[in-house]
Amino acid sequence: MTLLLLAAALLVVPSAEARRRLAGPRRRVRWKPLRPKRVHAVLVGIALGLPVGVGGVFAGALLAATVWHAYRETTRQRDRLAASAALADGLKAFVAELRSGAHPAKAAMGAAQDAEPPATDVLRAVAATSARGGDVEAALVDFPDARQLARAWRLSAVHGVPLADVLDAVRRDFDRRTAFAEQVHARMAGPRASAAVLAGLPLFGVVLGELSGAGPLAVLSGTAPGQVLLVAGVVLICAGLQWSGRLTRQVIA
């Protein structure tokens, strides 16, 4: 009798997935890093270049703006990779729910509970639109990262292809694109480091000149030709950084 009661208890105990659904969606506290704006970077550059004179102000502002632009592009690229990875994980859970027999609206809402942005918002939009029988493709217009998902949904609706199979193909494409981008990004670490070293060589030359007693800072800050050369040198450095950054971004893109 005791064994029968234990067996019955094991049958009625909810699984981990059922406990998660009964508990409802969990609220996650996500901390967003403080990202500097262009004006902040330019002001810092002006403050650093002010002791060197008018040329130093222009050179500092230009160099700070260039560094900020490189930082912004790197952040955008990292955000795109994170968005692709989040969508791939969300679609994986979505497909699993669909293949278990769930309605698309219920499957999307269930997958959204454990997804990361922007997959959370995308799946919730899919769930809300699908629940009321709306146009899912139109609902995803505001999500540029979900264009493939919108096209896959239309393909399934127009041609009758199983939705789970189409979304699984989209998920595999996200996985492959993310893996390829991460691999190329890692391989481009050497060229990026070389570009940074070459950009820093003029500063190293100025420091070396000061240590040897040549006094290049006095020339750059105290004479008109020095001010012109300072601005011209920084312009060339910024042009090199922009060009090398564009080349590496084109390879990764």
Side-chain angles (χ1 to χ4, degrees), residues 180-216:
F180 176 76
E182 290 177 348
Q183 183 180 11
V184 175
H185 186 270
R187 291 184 177 181
M188 294 302 295
R192 286 196 302 269
S194 299
V197 170
L198 291 175
L201 283 179
L203 178 61
F204 176 75
V206 172
V207 173
L208 189 62
E210 286 293 326
L211 293 177
S212 63

Side-chain angles (χ1 to χ4, degrees), residues 55-182:
V57 170
F58 284 104
L62 181 60
L63 186 59
T66 303
V67 172
W68 176 86
H69 181 268
Y71 167 79
R72 185 189 63 176
E73 293 298 326
T74 302
T75 303
R76 285 181 177 177
Q77 187 177 31
R78 185 170 58 246
D79 291 343
R80 285 195 296 267
L81 290 177
S84 297
L87 285 172
D89 292 338
L91 286 177
K92 183 178 181 180
F94 190 14
V95 170
E97 295 277 357
L98 288 174
R99 287 178 173 169
S100 67
H103 185 272
K106 186 178 180 181
M109 185 56 67
Q113 292 179 3
D114 290 330
E116 297 288 339
T120 304
D121 298 331
V122 170
L123 292 172
R124 285 176 179 171
V126 170
T129 307
S130 179
R132 62 174 182 267
D135 188 356
V136 174
E137 184 181 4
L140 296 178
V141 172
D142 296 332
F143 301 96
D145 296 319
R147 292 173 182 172
Q148 287 182 281
L149 175 58
R151 289 194 292 264
W153 200 283
R154 181 180 60 181
L155 178 65
S156 176
V158 173
H159 299 284
V161 183
L163 182 60
D165 295 341
V166 179
L167 294 183
D168 193 44
V170 174
R171 190 267 308 169
R172 291 195 301 269
D173 183 66
F174 274 127
D175 281 336
R176 290 168 183 168
R177 286 174 180 267
T178 303
F180 176 76
E182 290 177 348

Side-chain angles (χ1 to χ4, degrees), residues 221-252:
S221 61
T223 63
Q227 294 277 283
V228 174
L229 291 175
L230 175 62
V231 175
V234 171
V235 168
L236 293 176
I237 291 174
C238 293
L241 289 174
Q242 288 281 77
W243 182 249
S244 61
R246 181 180 179 183
L247 290 178
T248 54
R249 286 193 299 271
Q250 285 180 346
V251 171
I252 296 174

